[in-house]
């Protein structure tokens, strides 16, 4: 457990942005690469330091609302939401490409009747469906940005990310200068990275040029042209230490630092991103944090220990952003490969959180919250004393909430039944002291509520 002494906000967000990359099905570092691309365009465009600071955070957090529409995409298109989002970013918005994309990405694993039914619905209500999906993502992203203490400029830029210069974008069909300039730069950075990663530098340049006057302001395209003609632009974009270099792009005099309270807000904000991924996980992270705090209080944790445990609980499932809703929301039994995908989510959580030096302890808790005392858990088959008390607390809190919440395959379980099931695993799977503490605080709470 480490003390916070005004650490850099940019370092935390650059690392957490990898969770957003997972949700969008993008290669690791997408938001970080977009930050490099967008900041180069912004400097070339002559933005002042205040505008560059707003642009910097917009680029790292442009996909804050990305998990909000994942379940609907999976349901509407009968497909893997992450693959759908990844491939959709290469569609230029033309009717022919959009139609081809729908036909090639809807219900490919479903039976013929289900596939044709889904395609018919999408084609019949396509415009409204597209607007609704983009609107929910953009509006939710803007709301979370405000909760993370960013200003209205950043929120507006995230909200208008998918607007196009010619008025054909979504969700408001804003036109020309009505679109925030930061949104235009962020979208340009996104397109550049997607096409550069998939087909190379020239493909990215050609795509931006082709969208001049439709998606993008021609003057901004000229700025892009000037910025990307510099050899160092592409050299730095390919650099292995790009994430470290990103920290230097934040305007020096406006660099923001994080104190204890701000870190709490960031953890809570990203827990909302995680829980929005599935209707069955709405509020899960906050409830786990509440149950974990109740257990820790009963056991005798200090206020400082409880605060760190609260953050770990809020972020323990951040790796679920890397799992398709086709698996998370499946009502039936998971196939072997589907369960294997589920078992990767604590690994993803660890990979994301471990990039933040301050979160080393939290990363370990997130990785271990599905381990069992008998060594039959995952991902590392840890056993006994190899599982720390913090992890044991979060595990008990997580299991209790999972049992008492609604799931795709069943309704919510009564508290008494959940505790009975858990009691049978005390000593073999879950920690007895943590379980006794949970039972005690629940009994006291129910007594007071009666």
């Amino acid at each position: 457990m480490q003390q916070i002494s005004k650490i850099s906000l940019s370092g935390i967000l650059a690392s957490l942005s990898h969770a957003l990359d997972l949700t969008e099905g993008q290669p690791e570092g997408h938001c970080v690469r977009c930050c490099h691309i967008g900041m180069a365009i912004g400097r070339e465009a002559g933005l002042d330091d205040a505008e560059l600071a707003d642009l910097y955070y917009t680029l790292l957090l442009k996909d804050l609302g990305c998990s909000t529409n994942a379940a609907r995409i999976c349901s509407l298109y009968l497909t893997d939401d992450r693959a759908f989002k990844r491939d959709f970013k290469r569609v230029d918005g033309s009717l022919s490409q959009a139609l081809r994309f729908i036909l090639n990405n809807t219900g490919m694993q479903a039976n013929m009747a289900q596939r044709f039914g889904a395609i018919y619905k999408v084609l019949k209500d396509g415009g409204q469906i597209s607007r609704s999906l983009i609107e929910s993502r953009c509006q939710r992203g803007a709301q979370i940005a405000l909760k993370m203490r960013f200003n209205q400029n950043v929120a507006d830029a995230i909200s208008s990310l998918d607007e196009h210069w010619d008025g054909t974008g979504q969700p408001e069909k804003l036109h020309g200068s009505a679109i925030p300039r930061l949104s235009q730069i962020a979208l340009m950075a996104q397109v550049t990275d997607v096409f550069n990663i998939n087909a190379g530098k020239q493909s990215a340049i050609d795509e931006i040029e082709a969208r001049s006057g439709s998606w993008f302001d021609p003057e901004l395209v000229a700025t892009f042209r000037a910025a990307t003609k510099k050899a160092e632009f592409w050299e730095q974009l390919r650099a292995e230490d790009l994430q470290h270099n990103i920290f230097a792009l934040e305007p020096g005099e406006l660099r923001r630092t994080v104190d204890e309270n701000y870190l709490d807000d960031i953890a809570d904000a990203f827990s909302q991103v995680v829980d929005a991924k599935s209707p069955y996980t709405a509020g899960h992270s906050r409830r786990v944090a509440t149950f974990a705090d109740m257990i820790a209080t009963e056991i005798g944790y200090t206020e400082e220990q409880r605060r760190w445990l609260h953050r770990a609980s809020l972020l323990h499932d951040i790796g679920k952003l890397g799992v398709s809703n086709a698996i998370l929301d499946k009502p039936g039994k998971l196939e072997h490969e589907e369960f294997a995908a589920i078992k990767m989510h604590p690994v993803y959580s660890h990979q994301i959180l471990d990039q933040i030096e301050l979160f080393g302890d939290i990363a370990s808790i997130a990785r271990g919250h599905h381990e069992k005392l008998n060594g039959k858990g995952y991902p590392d088959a840890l056993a006994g004393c190899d599982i720390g008390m913090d992890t044991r607390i979060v595990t008990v809190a997580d299991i209790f909430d999972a049992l008492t919440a609604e799931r795709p395959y069943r309704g919510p379980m009564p508290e008494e039944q959940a505790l009975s099931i858990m009691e049978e695993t005390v000593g073999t799977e879950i920690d007895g002291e943590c379980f006794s503490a949970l039972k005690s605080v629940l009994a006291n709470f129910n007594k007071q509520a009666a």
Side-chain angles (χ1 to χ4, degrees):
M1 188 179 304
Q2 301 182 41
Q3 297 292 322
I4 295 177
S5 180
K6 296 292 183 181
I7 66 169
S8 167
L9 174 62
S10 61
I12 293 175
L13 296 186
S15 297
L16 290 178
S17 73
H18 292 296
L20 308 181
D21 301 340
L22 280 175
T23 319
E24 290 292 276
Q26 292 299 311
E28 182 180 0
H30 167 68
C31 287
V32 167
R33 292 190 298 274
C34 285
C35 188
H36 167 78
I37 296 165
M39 290 298 285
I41 297 169
R43 289 194 302 270
E44 190 71 31
L47 270 58
D48 61 34
D49 279 357
E51 291 174 312
L52 286 171
D54 290 341
L55 176 62
Y56 182 84
Y57 292 113
T58 296
L59 291 160
L60 287 177
L61 300 173
K62 67 183 180 65
D63 293 324
L64 263 182
C66 58
S67 63
T68 307
N69 58 21
R72 285 194 65 209
I73 287 174
C74 190
S75 175
L76 285 166
Y77 295 92
L78 305 180
T79 191
D80 175 355
D81 55 290
R82 296 177 65 246
F84 182 96
K85 290 184 174 191
R86 178 197 65 217
D87 296 341
F88 187 72
K89 278 185 166 57
R90 298 200 290 270
V91 175
D92 66 8
S94 66
L95 182 60
S96 60
Q97 269 209 27
L99 179 59
R100 189 161 51 249
F101 177 82
I102 291 170
L103 293 175
N104 291 337
N105 290 273
T106 301
M108 298 304 290
Q109 302 302 317
N111 63 46
M112 195 66 71
Q114 291 173 324
R115 181 168 184 252
F116 284 162
I119 290 174
Y120 173 78
K121 179 176 176 56
V122 169
L123 293 180
K124 179 175 177 289
D125 303 319
Q128 181 56 39
I129 288 173
S130 176
R131 182 184 185 280
S132 175
L133 290 172
I134 292 174
E135 182 176 47
S136 64
R137 178 174 72 85
C138 292
Q139 289 185 354
R140 186 59 179 151
Q143 291 168 2
I144 295 176
L146 291 173
K147 289 182 178 180
M148 292 177 70
R149 307 187 189 182
F150 294 104
N151 61 31
Q152 194 63 50
N153 292 335
V154 173
D156 289 345
I158 293 173
S159 181
S160 299
L161 178 67
D162 289 287
E163 301 289 355
H164 298 168
W165 185 254
D166 63 1
T168 61
Q170 299 285 7
E172 302 297 333
K173 295 193 177 297
L174 299 180
H175 181 276
S177 60
I179 305 171
R181 183 158 56 161
L182 303 187
S183 300
Q184 278 270 285
I185 295 174
L187 180 58
M188 183 175 284
Q190 175 175 287
V191 172
T192 302
D193 182 61
V194 167
F195 280 87
N196 179 53
I197 286 293
N198 283 280
K201 164 185 168 182
Q202 194 56 50
S203 174
I205 294 172
D206 292 345
E207 201 64 35
I208 297 299
E209 294 284 1
R211 301 186 193 197
S212 178
S214 54
W215 281 40
F216 302 120
D217 174 6
E219 291 187 9
L220 189 61
V221 172
T223 301
F224 166 85
R225 196 179 300 126
T228 57
K229 277 185 177 178
K230 300 172 182 177
E232 63 268 23
F233 173 90
W234 298 103
E235 291 172 2
Q236 292 169 4
L237 186 59
R238 291 190 297 268
E240 292 185 2
D241 59 346
L242 178 61
Q243 177 155 322
H244 177 77
N245 295 337
I246 287 298
F247 306 154
L249 296 181
E250 185 181 13
E253 294 183 3
L254 297 175
R255 286 180 184 169
R256 298 172 65 167
T257 55
V258 174
D259 59 15
E260 295 279 2
N261 292 331
Y262 199 177
L263 194 58
D264 290 338
D265 288 346
I266 292 171
D268 184 66
F270 269 83
S271 79
Q272 293 178 51
V273 177
V274 175
D275 290 355
K277 181 100 162 78
S278 166
Y280 300 102
T281 58
H284 172 69
S285 297
R286 281 180 169 176
R287 291 193 301 270
V288 170
T290 298
F291 293 136
D293 186 65
M294 293 163 66
I295 295 169
T297 302
E298 184 73 10
I299 289 176
Y301 270 40
T302 66
E303 183 176 350
E304 182 185 5
Q305 289 173 319
R306 286 167 48 210
R307 192 169 199 172
W308 274 95
L309 188 64
H310 185 79
R311 293 170 189 148
S313 302
L314 287 173
L315 297 172
H316 76 284
D317 265 347
I318 196 168
K320 277 191 176 176
L321 293 173
V323 181
S324 169
N325 280 73
I327 297 173
L328 291 177
D329 300 340
K330 185 177 179 179
K333 183 179 179 180
L334 296 179
E335 301 294 337
H336 176 75
E337 63 273 13
E338 293 173 330
F339 188 54
I342 285 284
K343 289 166 69 173
M344 284 299 297
H345 83 268
V347 177
Y348 297 149
S349 293
H350 182 265
Q351 289 172 349
I352 293 164
L353 298 172
D354 198 46
Q355 294 184 54
I356 306 170
E357 184 178 355
L358 186 70
F359 280 3
D361 296 333
I362 290 177
S364 297
I365 295 169
R367 186 181 182 95
H369 75 277
H370 281 290
E371 301 289 357
K372 299 177 181 179
L373 295 178
N374 59 12
K376 295 183 179 180
Y378 64 85
D380 300 312
L382 299 180
C385 60
D386 290 331
I387 306 172
M389 181 57 76
D390 290 346
T391 304
R392 297 180 186 210
I393 291 173
V394 174
T395 297
V396 168
D398 181 63
I399 292 172
F400 180 72
D401 186 67
L403 289 173
T404 54
E406 184 176 1
R407 285 294 181 261
Y409 43 87
R410 60 160 173 79
M413 187 180 294
E415 180 181 303
E416 298 79 7
Q417 184 182 356
L419 290 174
S420 177
I421 290 173
M422 292 177 69
E423 192 160 21
E424 293 178 1
T425 68
V426 168
T428 55
E429 297 183 9
I430 65 174
D431 182 84
E433 184 180 5
C434 296
F435 178 70
S436 295
L438 174 66
K439 283 183 65 177
S440 177
V441 294
L442 288 174
N444 290 335
F445 178 81
N446 292 333
K447 183 178 179 180
Q448 293 174 9

